[in-house]
Amino acid sequence: MSGQQEILKVAMPKGRIYKQASKLFREAGLPIPVDFDDSRKLIIEVPDAKMEFIMAKPVDVPTYVEYGVADIGIVGKDVLMEENKDVYELLDLGIAKCRMSVIGMPDWKPVINPRVATKYPNVASQYFRELGQQVEVIKLNGSIELAPLIGLADRIVDMVETGQTLKENGLVEMESIFGITSRLIANRVSYRMKNEPIQKLCDLLQQTLAARV
Ligand code: PRP
């Protein structure tokens, strides 16, 4: 196999997950330069690690991997649950820990025709469907916590990490739906064609994570 074929294309989520992922990779002994942690470059070649990073918006990572333009990717469980793409989930990286929760005002009371605002319409719809509750789901793209404050929705489904956003906006977590961490995912064909480097990386990361505990 030529050197070129062994290069792994990795869809990396830009922002906070990237910093934790690159740290984990470095801890695993992969020579990922620190300079890229704050870089605006979208394609980052890391020949010493036999990798190329495709710096994606987190929500797009499963799409790049499903279409095979990236062999593997790192993505939050929240995005995986919402996007439901045809990819292999290989490893729980244990980084970027947070949770998906139902949030509302402290004086929340059931209403007729409830509206729920969220960045995760599929996750929210499924959750309320399983509870047998009929709600209108409103898709927003950010600052979800605004919705109950200004009367757009009576509850929201969103990620809680430190709880700071809730605290500063006087909101309360009503129920935690599931825990979130970042996962290593792989394209189905790449997993067969580049099995050796992918499996090697997976094993290396697994050992590194075990040593962290
Ligand atoms: C996320 C999430 C919450 C916040 C939770 O928003 O949607 O608003 O982080 O974090 P905390 O519990 O530590 O406060 P993000 O920062 O991604 O911005 P967004 O408003 O654009 O979604």
Side-chain angles (χ1 to χ4, degrees):
M1 196 181 274
S2 78
Q4 178 58 30
Q5 277 173 308
E6 283 174 5
I7 295 277
L8 279 183
K9 293 193 176 185
V10 188
M12 280 286 196
K14 287 194 284 188
R16 51 185 157 187
I17 303 181
Y18 176 74
K19 287 194 182 180
Q20 295 184 48
S22 66
K23 185 167 172 266
L24 174 67
F25 276 30
R26 279 192 288 272
E27 230 173 281
L30 297 164
I32 314 296
V34 189
D35 322 0
F36 295 131
D37 280 19
D38 295 305
S39 165
R40 303 286 296 169
K41 224 169 141 43
L42 296 174
I43 298 177
I44 297 175
E45 284 172 14
V46 198
D48 294 345
K50 293 199 167 144
M51 286 180 189
E52 181 182 285
F53 291 168
I54 295 161
M55 304 303 290
K57 199 174 152 82
V59 70
D60 292 332
V61 165
T63 305
Y64 293 114
V65 174
E66 184 183 49
Y67 279 89
V69 290
D71 300 306
I72 56 174
I74 291 180
V75 64
K77 187 68 179 175
D78 53 326
V79 172
L80 273 185
M81 299 282 280
E82 178 64 25
E83 295 297 312
N84 203 17
K85 300 285 185 189
D86 186 22
V87 295
Y88 285 133
E89 187 179 325
L90 298 180
L91 186 62
D92 182 348
L93 299 174
I95 56 172
K97 227 179 228 171
C98 52
R99 54 196 182 272
M100 185 70 71
S101 296
V102 181
I103 293 152
M105 301 287 267
D107 59 355
W108 178 85
K109 285 189 185 65
V111 294
I112 300 166
N113 303 324
R115 293 194 302 222
V116 173
T118 185
K119 256 193 292 197
Y120 304 91
N122 293 327
V123 166
S125 300
Q126 189 185 343
Y127 173 74
F128 287 105
R129 197 168 46 244
E130 281 171 8
L131 287 180
Q133 292 181 22
Q134 208 169 2
V135 301
E136 181 186 346
V137 172
I138 301 174
K139 163 89 197 282
L140 292 177
N141 295 298
S143 301
I144 314 300
E145 290 81 0
L146 269 176
L149 299 178
I150 58 176
L152 175 63
D154 73 315
R155 280 168 296 172
I156 62 173
V157 168
D158 200 15
M159 261 170 51
V160 180
E161 191 179 1
T162 61
Q164 189 68 15
T165 310
L166 299 188
K167 204 170 150 211
E168 287 191 22
N169 292 290
L171 296 168
V172 292
E173 198 172 352
M174 303 165 76
E175 188 150 6
S176 165
I177 308 180
F178 57 84
I180 300 167
T181 45
S182 296
R183 311 296 162 110
L184 181 70
I185 59 171
N187 170 269
R188 290 183 180 274
V189 176
S190 299
Y191 189 68
R192 274 190 281 122
M193 305 302 285
K194 296 188 178 180
N195 187 266
E196 199 189 316
I198 293 177
Q199 202 49 56
K200 224 169 122 183
L201 174 69
C202 211
D203 293 346
L204 189 63
L205 291 174
Q206 208 156 18
Q207 286 160 18
T208 310
L209 290 168
R212 265 186 176 186
V213 175

